[in-house]
Amino acid sequence: MDKLRLLELQKQATIIRKYIIDEVFSANSGHPGGSLSCTDIFTTLYFEEMRVDPKNPKWADRDRFVLSKGHCAPALYATLACRGFFPEKDLYTFRRIDSYLEGHPSMNYVPGCDMSTGSLGQGISTAVGMALAGKIDKKDYRVYSILGDGELEEGLVWEAAMAAAHYKLDNLCAFVDFNGLQIDGNITDVMNPTPIADKFRAFGWNVIDTDGHDIEGLKAAMELAKRCKGQPTMVVCHCHKGRGVSFMEDNYGWHGKAPNQEQRDQAIAELDAKLAEIEAEIAKVKEA
Amino acid sequence: MGKVATREAYGNALAQYGADERIVVLDADLSKSTKTDTFKKVYPERHFNMGIAEADMMCVAAGLATCGKIVFASTFAIFASERACEQIRNSICYPKLNVKICATHAGLTVGEDGASHQCLEDLAVMRALPNMTVISTCDEIETNRAIKAAIDYNGPVYIRLGRLGVEAVHGEDFKFEIGKGVTVRDGKDVTLVATGLMVQESLKAADILAERGIDARVVDIHTIKPIDKDLLVKCAKETGLIVTVEEHNIAGGLGGAVCEALSENYPCKVKMIGVQEKYGKSGTPAALLEKYGLTAQQIADKVIAAKG
């Protein structure tokens, strides 16, 4: 990936992070920690990898995406809005009574949302169904899904993992947002789902480890997934919950809590500083 | 005429209508029992065994449906409606996806497998889900027509099927419409409102009642939801007493649905015959129906008692 493209994607990710903060702040509820954690995966998927058409969100040949960790809807909505599926101003209606942006995503309300999710474990299983449909119809679309690491405690994830390998769904590429934290604390204290990579390998998946905030690494993983035949791919993304906002990073207390005005302002200031830094670098690259 | 189980009629119907390439059939390691293997023999490329993983089967069905498939997902009623209930709720009914859950081995007449496998709550559980249509068929022809109707209807449908071979109630010219009850025997003194194989038992009960001078009407309610309110009100007006008969716990099933419809529209006396808040047990189907009070003679006796 050339330097300028990478900087543009990093800038996009930072803009998405700002929207996540403001969605949760406007709603005075929601899940900022996990949303900030998976933002770079979202950015790479929707701005670099996936074949989608915001003007035709139900396009039959589009790549599909299922947010298995549905509580990170703020990240999905901000990404879809930035990608042009609906106006960014609607993000400020998140979780309101007259809004189509439910606390957890609904495919029947949100343009670009391919599956209703929120109940953990179910999203990856529906993604298996979509990938199976692609195989039946001999279509070349790909199916992507993001899971939480805590979500791996759901038995259904492993039923789905078994089925995806059994039916050789190499058109399925999933990501686990491995930030190590869930609502009640460290995943290894609450109910240890590790070792994650070994488990998926044992279930017959092609497994790739990467830094979940390294856009080039994520893009490379997606390319490797496409080249893998006969196996679904799990990209184990090493992430930091609350990434990009100093006081939220690696703090499970921000799993499902909204910032107050002061905290929101500080978060936005930090992200604006990051944006200025990236823009300065972009200017430098363009000059050179 | 020979007896045919509704599960067998289901498998045959899938094979009969299966040329439609949108149809995909999923099973959870019970395809020989649910009879989806009849479809598999004709269209193996569109039959997928999901293994002993019912929750996954329901969500995979949902995912397939988002891609334009008409998905039939089958297992025993207990595992479909109760083990995978929340998957059906959140991944199929909430997004209103085109999945047909065809659940076999419902009711007591599973027989010797006993209580763990005899589902007596599925109508109540499935009926509680918004967007779900709930069907319970009584014979081969009705099952065949219900499967066709489910293919033509866009949205989630739960179809309750049985293991036991049953006699025919309906003829080849039978017209099936979702939500429309069928009067299978006319009468003026009482209406027996039945579903599934209790339609046959109720018809026999009506014969017994006729000998006692009671002219019983029998209505086959194949669609539990949406229920045919108009027909129920008409029967209540014309015959007074309504008696519901189901191979299901009385809580929330056919009896519950009928009471809800009548109490809002035409309050009247309703006697509910069914399993009285109990689990089943091992035994032959005939012995089980006797033990739980669901034979024609027992139904007739309860009607006489209710008539006072």
Side-chain angles (χ1 to χ4, degrees):
Chain A
M1 193 178 294
D2 76 51
K3 178 78 178 158
L4 189 60
R5 180 69 189 142
L6 176 61
L7 286 165
E8 278 168 356
L9 290 168
Q10 286 168 342
K11 178 179 164 184
Q12 185 59 62
T14 311
I15 292 167
I16 290 170
R17 285 193 164 91
K18 283 181 65 181
Y19 278 126
I20 289 169
I21 295 297
D22 272 341
E23 282 175 88
V24 177
F25 175 70
S26 302
N28 196 27
S29 72
H31 298 81
S35 295
L36 294 167
S37 180
C38 61
T39 299
D40 300 297
I41 309 171
F42 265 113
T43 305
T44 314
L45 278 172
Y46 276 90
F47 289 87
E48 185 64 22
E49 183 62 33
M50 283 174 63
R51 184 171 76 192
V52 291
D53 178 4
K55 289 187 193 65
N56 186 10
K58 298 278 180 200
W59 177 31
D61 292 331
R62 73 189 183 283
D63 287 342
R64 268 78 172 166
F65 176 80
V66 181
L67 182 58
S68 203
K69 46 181 264 172
H71 56 281
C72 293
L76 173 68
Y77 298 158
T79 304
L80 290 174
C82 289
R83 189 69 177 78
F85 283 91
F86 52 85
E88 283 105 325
K89 67 172 170 46
D90 291 357
L91 294 171
Y92 299 97
T93 69
F94 177 50
R95 287 181 170 235
R96 296 216 183 136
I97 190 71
D98 53 354
S99 176
Y100 57 93
L101 301 177
E102 283 286 299
H104 295 79
S106 164
M107 63 180 287
N108 291 336
Y109 305 157
V110 184
C113 174
D114 293 319
M115 186 65 210
S116 304
T117 52
S119 177
L120 296 175
Q122 296 191 27
I124 183 63
S125 183
T126 63
V128 169
M130 294 176 189
L132 189 59
K135 290 290 179 191
I136 295 168
D137 292 336
K138 298 186 170 56
K139 295 226 179 199
D140 69 347
Y141 65 74
R142 295 184 62 73
V143 181
Y144 295 98
S145 182
I146 300 178
L147 297 96
D149 48 6
E151 185 180 4
L152 305 182
E153 294 158 12
E154 286 281 3
L156 177 52
V157 169
W158 303 101
E159 291 186 9
M162 196 161 40
H166 182 81
Y167 286 111
K168 302 181 167 47
L169 301 179
D170 52 19
N171 51 349
L172 175 65
C173 177
F175 304 83
V176 58
D177 179 354
F178 186 14
N179 58 42
L181 300 174
Q182 60 189 111
I183 304 180
D184 275 352
N186 293 318
I187 59 167
T188 49
D189 294 334
V190 177
M191 180 49 66
N192 189 359
T194 67
I196 295 170
D198 289 349
K199 283 198 175 79
F200 278 99
R201 240 174 242 124
F203 271 72
W205 287 53
N206 171 44
V207 179
I208 301 166
D209 260 285
T210 189
D211 174 344
H213 303 303
D214 170 12
I215 287 172
E216 284 179 305
L218 287 164
K219 173 67 180 164
M222 292 169 199
E223 288 300 327
L224 284 173
K226 273 190 276 191
R227 270 184 257 142
C228 176
K229 297 297 169 205
Q231 279 182 300
T233 293
M234 178 59 71
V235 185
V236 179
C237 303
H238 298 262
C239 296
H240 294 279
K241 200 155 188 157
R243 175 74 169 198
V245 176
S246 61
F247 59 91
M248 291 185 181
E249 273 194 31
D250 300 319
N251 181 346
Y252 70 82
W254 287 99
H255 174 91
K257 191 175 84 170
N260 61 27
Q261 182 73 55
E262 192 186 332
Q263 291 162 332
R264 177 264 172 201
D265 291 347
Q266 189 191 332
I268 294 296
E270 287 183 18
L271 291 165
D272 276 337
K274 177 76 181 169
L275 261 186
E277 201 181 291
I278 297 168
E279 271 164 5
E281 270 197 68
I282 289 175
K284 224 188 287 172
V285 172
K286 278 184 177 167
E287 264 174 45
Chain B
M1 245 170 85
K3 292 182 175 183
V4 180
T6 51
R7 60 173 168 146
E8 199 173 330
Y10 161 58
N12 293 337
L14 278 183
Q16 182 183 343
Y17 304 118
D20 184 333
E21 292 204 342
R22 294 171 302 169
I23 294 174
V24 174
V25 178
L26 305 181
D27 208 303
D29 193 39
L30 290 169
S31 61
K32 288 180 188 67
S33 300
T34 63
K35 300 297 174 189
T36 66
D37 70 339
T38 310
F39 172 88
K40 187 181 179 179
K41 281 172 193 147
V42 192
Y43 304 104
E45 71 285 1
R46 281 187 278 122
H47 183 282
F48 296 90
N49 204 324
M50 300 314 295
I52 309 166
E54 297 79 11
D56 184 53
M57 176 172 73
M58 294 305 173
C59 290
V60 168
L64 283 160
T66 68
C67 299
K69 301 299 177 195
I70 300 170
V71 190
F72 282 81
S74 281
T75 179
F76 290 178
I78 184 71
F79 311 128
S81 70
E82 302 193 50
R83 189 189 192 98
C85 178
E86 200 247 344
Q87 283 73 25
I88 295 173
R89 194 263 191 195
N90 271 322
S91 287
I92 295 173
C93 287
Y94 173 46
K96 207 176 181 206
L97 290 169
N98 206 10
V99 177
K100 320 301 169 185
I101 297 154
C102 292
T104 67
H105 295 64
L108 295 164
T109 50
V110 169
E112 291 78 355
D113 276 354
S116 64
H117 283 53
Q118 292 162 345
C119 190
L120 302 173
E121 308 85 15
D122 53 328
L123 296 177
V125 173
M126 291 293 105
R127 200 166 72 80
L129 301 176
N131 291 339
M132 182 63 103
T133 293
V134 180
I135 291 172
S136 158
T137 59
C138 71
D139 73 356
E140 181 182 16
I141 296 279
E142 187 170 84
T143 304
N144 182 288
R145 304 298 189 269
I147 298 304
K148 180 70 172 76
I151 293 168
D152 294 339
Y153 169 82
N154 185 20
V157 182
Y158 178 84
I159 303 179
R160 180 185 220 234
L161 302 164
R163 170 176 185 261
L164 189 67
V166 287
E167 290 155 8
V169 172
H170 301 289
E172 274 296 336
D173 59 347
F174 175 62
K175 297 267 187 296
F176 179 96
E177 193 181 336
I178 291 174
K180 290 283 176 214
V182 187
T183 303
V184 289
R185 174 182 174 129
D186 210 0
K188 60 181 190 324
D189 297 333
V190 58
T191 302
L192 304 188
V193 177
T195 196
L197 64 77
M198 287 298 113
V199 174
Q200 283 88 331
E201 289 302 319
S202 296
L203 283 167
K204 286 178 204 154
D207 287 340
I208 297 167
L209 289 167
E211 288 166 18
R212 303 281 295 267
I214 295 172
D215 185 15
R217 182 180 298 184
V218 179
V219 168
D220 167 13
I221 291 289
H222 53 65
T223 309
I224 311 295
K225 182 186 168 182
I227 202 156
D228 192 342
K229 282 183 192 149
D230 294 345
L231 179 60
L232 292 172
V233 169
K234 183 171 178 284
C235 292
K237 283 180 181 166
E238 290 173 0
T239 71
L241 179 65
I242 300 283
V243 178
T244 61
V245 196
E246 60 194 310
E247 192 196 0
H248 183 278
N249 262 310
I250 55 164
L254 172 69
V258 168
C259 286
E260 286 164 20
L262 288 175
S263 62
E264 279 213 334
N265 297 287
Y266 190 80
C268 67
K269 186 176 176 187
V270 177
K271 166 73 184 166
M272 292 194 278
I273 299 176
V275 177
Q276 305 289 317
E277 293 268 31
K278 286 191 174 80
Y279 291 100
K281 76 171 300 303
S282 289
T284 64
L288 284 159
L289 291 180
E290 178 83 28
K291 181 177 173 63
Y292 289 85
L294 296 175
T295 64
Q297 184 62 56
Q298 289 163 310
I299 293 166
D301 291 345
K302 285 172 188 161
V303 171
I304 291 163
K307 286 286 291 175

